[in-house]
């Protein structure tokens, strides 16, 4: 897509002074353009200058705030589904305008515009995952009420998808259980029985729940034993993987040619990585999910770099979780994968710090097992197998070749010039 196509939305439709049908067609055109943009092409929409200019135009009545909401919402939607991470919305006047409007509309005792309040909450969270705790109960209550809608017409399904996607964008903030848990459980259980949600809506519902594992491990039982997260994630991943063209060339992976299924697959992998890191319960379903991710990596590694890297994130984060046995990392082939990925990387690729960190964590875990006298036979067997695999790949020679620059790539030793090769290489 040419740079000329990346215009701020207020330049595309500056006045909104159209007949209703013309306005609908203009919005459809705009949404189609947004859908075709890749991560880089979306960036201009998320600068502080862009938000400030939009705020000024709204103040000058160049276009009504309510009508601007629809375009802003779809900009946020594309930003969220493509997991770009772009947003400089936090300290802008436009964000403050949203907050005032949400509070004002919510506090109305008469003439409350529920549709406007929903649009405000959706747009507010989609544009910035860091939102006011004062608005958290308002937004959760408003959007979950819509998400519980069980109508299955196209418009209702799209609205539920938008609401759940918005709520799933509010990551890294602790949410009290009474604000969301019963509703999210009801949404997930109903879908498991009736398949009433879109794939993206279902993934978003799970992400809302799993993100809270970081703050609240009382959710482990609900997620693992009651709602069967691993079983559901495995099924969704395999269904989505069946829709991805694994043979296409890497340069076709991004932008308008990337399928919706590939985008949702990456979101499921992101959610699975967080689940594998923080879940303290472990069962056969989770082992099968882990093995399924290994299989996806094997088909993605040559042509789908984004997908393969998200698989690697799953392996890395699972390695942080002491509930995950070293034997699983060996038996699933993850140790082999990480060795292969490490030795084939070049020094200038910053991704290598994540591969090296994987072996830092493995070595650290084996040392902890020795110090604590845990599973002596299993520890020695795991140590022997990893040592043999490292020797096969020439891993020690590879680490030695990095001796001078290794401190700049590692995570544990980033502030030190001291490198102990036993932090990476298993020696018997």
């Amino acid at each position: 897509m040419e740079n000329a196509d990346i215009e701020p939305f207020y330049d595309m439709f500056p006045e909104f002074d159209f007949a209703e049908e013309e306005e609908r067609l203009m919005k459809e055109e705009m949404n189609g353009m947004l859908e075709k943009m890749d991560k880089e092409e979306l960036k201009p929409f998320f600068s502080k200058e862009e938000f400030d200019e939009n705020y000024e135009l709204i103040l000058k009545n160049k276009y009504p705030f309510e009508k601007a909401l629809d375009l802003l919402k779809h900009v946020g939607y594309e930003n969220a589904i493509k997991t770009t991470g772009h947003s400089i919305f936090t300290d802008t006047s436009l964000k403050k305008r949203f907050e005032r409007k949400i509070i004002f509309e919510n506090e109305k005792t008469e003439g409350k515009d529920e549709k406007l309040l929903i649009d405000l909450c959706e747009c507010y969270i989609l544009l910035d995952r860091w939102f006011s705790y004062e608005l958290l109960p308002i937004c959760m209550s408003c959007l979950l009420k819509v998400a519980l809608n069980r109508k299955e017409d196209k418009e209702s399904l799209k609205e539920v998808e938008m609401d759940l996607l918005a709520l799933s964008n509010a990551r890294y903030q602790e949410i009290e259980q009474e604000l969301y848990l019963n509703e999210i459980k009801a949404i997930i259980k109903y879908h498991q029985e009736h398949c009433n949600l879109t794939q993206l809506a279902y993934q978003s519902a799970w992400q809302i729940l799993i993100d809270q594992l970081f703050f609240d491990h009382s959710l482990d039982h609900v997620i693992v034993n009651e709602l069967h997260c691993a079983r559901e994630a495995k099924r969704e991943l395999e269904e989505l993987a069946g829709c991805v063209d694994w043979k296409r060339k890497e340069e076709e992976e991004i932008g308008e040619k990337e399928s919706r299924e590939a985008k949702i697959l990456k979101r499921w992998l992101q959610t699975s990585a967080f689940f594998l890191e923080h879940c303290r319960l472990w069962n056969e379903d989770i082992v099968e999910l882990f093995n399924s991710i290994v299989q996806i990596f094997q088909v993605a590694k040559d042509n789908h770099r984004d997908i393969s890297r998200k698989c690697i994130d799953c392996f890395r984060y699972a390695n942080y979780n002491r509930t995950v046995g070293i034997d699983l990392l060996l038996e699933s082939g993850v140790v082999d994968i990480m060795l292969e990925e490490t030795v084939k990387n070049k020094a200038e690729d910053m991704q290598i710090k994540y591969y090296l960190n994987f072996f830092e964590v493995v070595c650290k875990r084996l040392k902890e097992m020795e110090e604590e006298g845990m599973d002596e036979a299993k520890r020695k067997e795991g140590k022997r197998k990893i040592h043999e695999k490292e020797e096969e790949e020439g891993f020690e020679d590879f680490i030695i070749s990095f001796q001078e620059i290794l401190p700049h790539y590692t995570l544990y030793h980033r502030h030190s010039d001291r490198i102990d090769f036993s932090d990476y290489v298993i020696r018997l």
Side-chain angles (χ1 to χ4, degrees):
M1 185 172 293
E2 299 295 326
N3 287 337
D5 290 332
I6 310 171
E7 298 174 304
F9 57 81
Y10 56 81
D11 283 344
M12 294 179 184
F13 310 108
E15 300 293 342
F16 283 93
D17 189 18
F18 308 114
E20 185 175 334
E21 181 61 15
E22 290 175 317
E23 184 175 315
R24 184 185 66 79
L25 292 172
M26 287 290 189
K27 286 180 179 179
E28 286 182 2
E29 181 184 349
M30 173 62 182
N31 293 340
M33 292 177 67
L34 286 168
E35 187 176 344
K36 291 177 181 178
M37 289 180 180
D38 65 20
K39 294 179 182 182
E40 291 304 309
E41 289 166 334
L42 275 172
K43 276 186 179 180
F45 289 91
F46 287 88
S47 67
K48 187 176 187 300
E49 293 74 20
E50 172 80 5
F51 288 125
D52 287 343
E53 282 195 61
N54 285 302
Y55 181 67
E56 289 300 316
L57 287 170
I58 290 169
L59 288 180
K60 294 174 183 176
N61 294 317
K62 292 290 184 181
Y63 54 74
F65 183 72
E66 286 76 7
K67 288 191 176 182
L69 277 175
D70 190 64
L71 293 175
L72 284 165
K73 184 164 66 172
H74 283 280
V75 169
Y77 176 92
E78 290 301 326
N79 188 53
I81 192 176
K82 292 167 184 171
T83 58
T84 67
H86 303 326
S87 186
I88 314 294
F89 190 58
T90 303
D91 298 318
T92 62
S93 299
L94 186 58
K95 178 174 180 176
K96 293 180 176 63
R97 173 71 178 261
F98 267 96
E99 292 172 342
R100 291 194 298 270
K101 290 280 285 184
I102 290 170
I103 292 169
F104 174 75
E105 197 62 40
N106 184 65
E107 290 180 348
K108 282 183 179 179
T109 53
E110 295 181 3
K112 182 182 293 188
D113 188 335
E114 295 288 352
K115 177 65 168 64
L116 174 59
L117 184 58
I118 290 165
D119 286 343
L120 285 165
C121 291
E122 285 175 344
C123 196
Y124 177 63
I125 305 175
L126 282 168
L127 291 174
D128 187 6
R129 62 187 53 171
W130 301 104
F131 59 95
S132 163
Y133 272 103
E134 182 183 3
L135 297 186
L136 181 60
I138 300 172
C139 292
M140 293 296 296
S141 173
C142 177
L143 298 187
L144 284 174
K145 189 185 298 182
V146 176
L148 284 163
N149 181 5
R150 289 168 180 171
K151 294 180 182 177
E152 295 190 17
D153 59 281
K154 186 176 180 180
E155 187 175 337
S156 296
L157 288 173
K158 187 67 176 177
E159 191 59 37
V160 169
E161 178 182 279
M162 183 74 77
D163 281 15
L164 289 172
L165 179 66
L167 289 172
S168 75
N169 199 48
R171 309 192 70 203
Y172 316 119
Q173 296 200 64
E174 185 173 7
I175 305 173
E176 297 297 324
Q177 282 193 10
E178 57 265 26
L179 292 179
Y180 74 95
L181 185 56
N182 289 337
E183 291 83 353
I184 291 296
K185 282 171 60 178
I187 289 166
I188 289 174
K189 284 183 175 180
Y190 190 82
H191 176 79
Q192 289 174 348
E193 294 175 9
H194 303 280
C195 297
N196 66 309
L197 299 175
T198 67
Q199 288 176 311
L200 178 58
Y202 190 49
Q203 183 279 325
S204 297
W206 271 111
Q207 187 165 309
I208 295 163
L209 186 57
I210 289 173
D211 280 344
Q212 291 305 305
L213 265 180
F214 180 79
F215 305 101
D216 185 358
H217 279 291
S218 71
L219 294 171
D220 276 342
H221 175 74
V222 172
I223 289 171
V224 175
N225 297 327
E226 187 176 344
L227 298 177
H228 310 287
C229 174
R231 183 188 68 195
E232 295 293 299
K234 178 179 182 290
R235 191 196 66 247
E236 291 291 312
L237 282 170
E238 290 177 352
E239 185 175 324
L240 290 162
C243 300
V244 175
D245 179 4
W246 297 109
K247 295 181 180 179
R248 73 204 221 169
K249 295 178 181 178
E250 185 176 305
E251 59 267 20
E252 296 176 344
E253 182 183 340
I254 61 174
E256 60 182 314
K257 295 183 180 179
E258 183 177 53
S259 69
R260 180 179 175 85
E261 288 81 8
K263 294 169 189 172
I264 302 172
L265 175 67
K266 288 192 289 186
R267 288 177 59 84
W268 262 114
L269 288 170
Q270 177 179 287
T271 303
S272 298
F274 201 83
F275 170 65
L276 291 169
E277 179 181 12
H278 294 290
C279 181
R280 295 294 180 265
L281 295 180
W282 207 257
N283 62 23
E284 189 57 35
D285 284 345
I286 302 177
V287 174
E288 290 185 13
L289 168 63
F290 196 74
N291 290 332
S292 180
I293 295 169
V294 172
Q295 293 171 22
I296 290 173
F297 172 82
Q298 296 294 0
V299 295
K301 63 180 179 179
D302 294 326
N303 297 324
H304 288 258
R305 182 171 54 183
D306 278 358
I307 292 176
S308 63
R309 284 185 173 178
K310 288 194 179 297
C311 291
I312 285 171
D313 285 343
C314 291
F315 308 150
R316 290 176 47 235
Y317 292 136
N319 191 27
Y320 292 137
N321 187 344
R322 295 315 194 250
T323 310
V324 181
I326 297 290
D327 55 334
L328 175 61
L329 301 177
L330 280 160
E331 291 166 9
S332 63
V334 165
V335 171
D336 300 77
I337 288 168
M338 298 303 285
L339 279 168
E340 290 168 10
E341 290 299 307
T342 304
V343 299
K344 80 179 184 183
N345 268 271
K346 297 179 181 178
E348 61 268 20
D349 185 353
M350 287 302 292
Q351 187 75 10
I352 200 170
K353 69 181 177 183
Y354 301 121
Y355 303 141
L356 291 170
N357 174 246
F358 178 87
F359 292 100
E360 285 183 278
V361 175
V362 167
C363 290
K364 189 170 184 287
R365 290 183 62 185
L366 286 169
K367 288 176 183 176
E368 288 173 352
M369 289 173 67
E370 183 176 13
E371 290 167 0
E372 295 168 9
M374 296 171 55
D375 300 319
E376 184 68 12
K378 185 182 288 188
R379 181 188 67 80
K380 286 185 176 180
E381 179 64 10
K383 189 174 180 181
R384 181 188 64 77
K385 287 182 178 178
I386 295 173
H387 171 75
E388 289 177 355
K389 291 179 184 296
E390 288 184 342
E391 282 202 325
E392 287 173 16
E393 292 290 343
F395 187 63
E396 184 169 356
D397 291 339
F398 176 83
I399 293 291
I400 290 171
S401 72
F402 268 71
Q403 185 165 5
E404 293 184 5
I405 60 172
L406 201 54
H408 303 291
Y409 287 86
T410 59
L411 300 184
Y412 289 150
H413 299 296
R414 66 177 72 177
H415 301 302
S416 170
D417 291 330
R418 181 191 67 80
I419 293 297
D420 185 344
F421 291 107
S422 66
D423 287 335
Y424 308 95
V425 179
I426 301 294
R427 287 178 173 147
L428 299 179

